[in-house]
Amino acid sequence: AFELVAMCGGLDLTPQLNDGAAAIRRYTRFHSTLPASEILFRLSTALRDANIPHTTHPAAFKVKVQTGGDRGPLRCTIQVFAVAPGLHLVDWRRGAGDAVVFRKFYEVMREQLQDLVAEGKLANKCYNGK
């Protein structure tokens, strides 16, 4: 059944993942064509290289981050979801801390992980069948 849904244009889980999320959360995600285990490994490596404390939960495809800064503690969860065969959604959710600090943290990390990001047409093709 999942393959049939994927062949018919994919499955967009964005509405289910947003469920009333603030605007800052809506844009803190990206798609990747790498396997989920590779995404988790790369996330963990980038966080470790930046000396950011984190805990990886491989069974749940989740990384929990807790760090401090000038504006207080920042906690967030990064989770990998399978959206379609060969396509994963990497969702970053702020748990606590300043929204602007979280957004900056996300942008810095995304820049370091740029080679993981499936841009534009590839992600849209899997969602829309175009």
Side-chain angles (χ1 to χ4, degrees):
F2 185 76
E3 289 177 17
L4 179 62
V5 170
M7 290 184 337
C8 295
L11 178 63
D12 185 1
L13 295 178
T14 303
Q16 288 83 6
L17 295 174
N18 275 342
D19 63 342
I24 193 107
R25 288 188 180 171
R26 227 174 288 153
Y27 301 105
T28 52
R29 58 179 59 147
F30 61 84
H31 297 89
S32 181
T33 56
L34 293 177
S37 58
E38 177 68 18
I39 296 168
L40 282 179
F41 175 76
R42 293 287 312 285
L43 283 167
S44 184
T45 301
L47 291 166
R48 185 181 63 242
D49 291 348
N51 293 321
I52 298 173
H54 66 283
T55 306
T56 305
H57 303 278
F61 297 104
K62 188 183 290 190
V63 177
K64 293 195 176 222
V65 177
Q66 185 166 355
T67 187
D70 297 341
R71 296 176 116 173
L74 174 66
R75 288 193 312 265
C76 69
T77 301
I78 308 164
Q79 191 162 10
V80 181
F81 297 95
V83 186
L87 183 68
H88 292 89
L89 174 72
V90 183
D91 187 47
W92 299 59
R93 294 192 180 250
R94 178 175 60 95
D98 187 71
V100 174
V101 172
F102 170 70
R103 179 67 181 191
K104 183 173 178 161
F105 167 70
Y106 167 76
E107 289 172 355
V108 167
M109 294 307 297
R110 181 181 166 141
E111 183 65 32
Q112 292 178 11
L113 300 166
Q114 191 60 38
D115 58 320
L116 293 179
V117 179
E119 290 294 337
K121 290 185 181 180
L122 178 61
N124 289 338
K125 181 177 181 181
C126 291
Y127 276 150
N128 302 323
K130 296 180 183 173

